[in-house]
Amino acid sequence: MTVRFGVVGCGAIGQEHIRRITNTLSGGKIVAVNDINADNAKSVVQKLGLDAKVYENGHDLIHAADVDAVLVTCWGPAHKEFVLSAVQAGKYVFCEKPLATTADDCLEIVAAEMKQGKHLVQVGFMRRFDKGYVALKEAISAGKIGTPLMLHAAHRNPTVDARYSTDMAINDTMIHEIDVLHWLLDDEYVSAQVVYPRKTSKAAPHLADPQIVLVETKKGVRIDVEIFVNCAYGYDIKCEVVGETGVAYLPEPATVQLRSEAALARPILMDWKDRFIEAYDIELQAFINAVSTGSRLTGPSSWDGYAAALTADVCVKAQSRPGEILPITLKECPEFYK
Ligand code: NAD
Ligand code: ISE
């Protein structure tokens, strides 16, 4: 069965996903698009030569009889409205991160999904599908470094636009680490603390950059995450797990090593679109495969969306109380999501 997609939000990542479903992946087709800015939706249809209907209203798109699954790629604050509407209509939905901007809104989605009695939601935390993180998890689970004790991570963007605010370092950027690191360690977070190093002169006056978030897990692993979104030199993602008998590193992306002009060099990617291109393909292909065969979705669930949102809420609170350690208390995970 071909999965017929309706897309809400045709901006940067919406267009990326539309392109990959249309040109790269198998088993999916874009049949409907919507954007609050109708010109965006129309121009995507034209630009990509889609045979898709443009809807003025996202809810009409969700309820269209020929839409099997909804791709929510509009801006974060509108995610809840469309995910909830899709779930209530009994439709599958792939939602870009964050699932919703507050933990309570995520719980509303969780409740609606459990009421349907079926797993309908996958959240776009694509790093769980990245081959590097998968290999790292396998190495840790196989005991190659013994019991994990510490984890050092960095999330560096070359630059951000003027609208990027201090809290976005957590709920837009570090939210990827929040999701992937506890999955990697098979653990849960119990506390968070934020400290601020010297500020880069490249950041806008309103933005604290870089930041360091220190998190502790239930098993006692200490995690430090550096978020540096005006690092200037590239899009660089680091993860190093220190165990009792060894250290495991997230592999670097495969770029060509050059010996030239008296230097040994390897290029560094500049854009998230390129850094995780394969992971985006794999996560969406997994979604399409599950929907078309009616099997259970394998990607991050709405519960994972809730866990990330709650953790992000605490980290954002910790930003305004530098140095203070704040508790992270998740609700008990329902059997439905285990
Ligand atoms: P963007 O600003 O480029 O695009 C957002 C689009 O949504 C715009 O075209 C806007 O007009 C539209 N929109 C806003 N409100 C809407 C509404 N109520 N109804 C319909 N359309 C609406 O942003 P983006 O970079 O594409 O980000 C979109 C989402 O994807 C965000 O939640 C972001 O966090 C996420 N994202 C995820 C990744 C990742 O690595 N997984 C990368 C980038 C963005
Ligand atoms: C963006 O929304 C993403 O999700 C990228 O992966 C992240 O690196 C960037 O900081 C965010 O703004």
Side-chain angles (χ1 to χ4, degrees):
M1 160 204 168
T2 298
V3 177
R4 297 165 301 176
F5 279 93
V7 183
V8 180
C10 299
I13 204 157
Q15 294 186 33
E16 286 289 314
H17 287 340
I18 290 172
R19 198 176 289 118
R20 62 172 41 88
I21 289 169
T22 307
N23 300 333
T24 310
L25 308 183
S26 58
K29 183 178 186 311
I30 308 295
V31 298
V33 292
N34 157 265
D35 195 288
I36 201 163
N37 176 349
D39 287 344
N40 277 0
K42 284 180 202 151
S43 81
V44 168
V45 168
Q46 247 184 0
K47 200 162 66 182
L48 301 180
L50 304 175
D51 178 17
K53 182 171 170 185
V54 177
Y55 283 80
E56 297 230 328
N57 182 304
H59 296 283
D60 292 343
L61 171 147
I62 289 167
H63 288 97
D66 65 346
V67 167
D68 305 311
V70 182
L71 189 60
V72 175
T73 42
C74 53
W75 77 315
H79 287 184
K80 176 202 169 185
E81 171 190 347
F82 295 115
V83 174
L84 208 50
S85 173
V87 169
Q88 284 162 349
K91 300 223 171 160
Y92 286 98
V93 49
F94 180 97
C95 178
E96 256 316 323
K97 43 69 56 169
L99 175 61
T101 49
T102 70
D104 283 348
D105 283 354
C106 292
L107 284 176
E108 242 184 271
I109 293 169
V110 162
E113 191 180 32
M114 285 176 66
K115 195 168 168 198
Q116 291 287 356
K118 190 174 174 188
H119 294 93
L120 294 167
V121 180
Q122 181 171 325
V123 184
F125 287 126
M126 75 292 178
R127 291 192 189 182
R128 293 193 189 199
F129 293 92
D130 174 74
K131 286 182 179 163
Y133 277 106
V134 170
L136 192 53
K137 185 170 170 64
E138 278 168 7
I140 297 166
S141 309
K144 304 267 186 209
I145 57 163
T147 304
L149 309 172
M150 293 174 276
L151 190 155
H152 311 296
H155 189 148
R156 304 193 187 117
N157 290 198
T159 185
V160 284
D161 69 32
R163 290 168 302 172
Y164 192 96
S165 51
T166 293
D167 61 313
M168 286 173 76
I170 305 287
N171 50 38
D172 190 52
T173 298
M174 185 195 153
I175 195 136
H176 285 295
E177 273 77 16
I178 290 176
D179 177 68
V180 84
L181 298 185
H182 82 92
W183 166 84
L184 197 62
L185 297 171
D186 194 16
D187 206 344
E188 274 181 26
Y189 305 123
V190 293
S191 72
Q193 179 189 19
V194 174
V195 292
Y196 297 101
R198 181 178 182 181
K199 181 177 166 168
T200 169
S201 63
K202 304 221 174 283
H206 66 268
L207 179 63
D209 186 41
Q211 305 180 29
I212 295 174
V213 184
L214 302 160
V215 183
E216 192 182 0
T217 72
K218 220 176 203 168
K219 294 177 190 164
V221 179
R222 290 281 180 175
I223 298 175
D224 53 274
V225 183
E226 169 204 310
I227 312 145
F228 186 12
V229 294
N230 287 283
C231 81
Y233 73 87
Y235 183 82
D236 207 5
I237 304 299
K238 304 265 177 219
C239 183
E240 174 185 341
V241 187
V242 183
E244 277 178 332
T245 57
V247 182
Y249 297 87
L250 178 70
E252 291 286 339
T255 51
V256 175
Q257 191 181 74
L258 296 174
R259 286 168 189 270
S260 127
E261 295 174 354
L264 181 60
R266 281 182 65 177
I268 295 177
L269 300 172
M270 290 301 285
D271 200 318
W272 50 263
K273 294 188 197 82
D274 302 323
R275 172 64 180 83
F276 287 109
I277 190 162
E278 212 188 353
Y280 294 119
D281 287 349
I282 300 172
E283 69 168 355
L284 266 170
Q285 189 64 64
F287 178 80
I288 292 170
N289 294 350
V291 173
S292 63
T293 56
S295 48
R296 185 171 165 174
L297 297 171
T298 55
S301 65
S302 5
W303 186 261
D304 294 313
Y306 153 73
L310 185 116
T311 305
D313 284 351
V314 175
C315 294
V316 169
K317 245 187 232 147
Q319 283 182 319
S320 57
R321 291 146 78 168
E324 208 175 308
I325 299 172
L326 302 186
I328 298 171
T329 314
L330 290 175
K331 289 193 182 295
E332 185 63 31
C333 180
E335 223 25 70
F336 185 74
Y337 290 101
K338 282 180 183 158

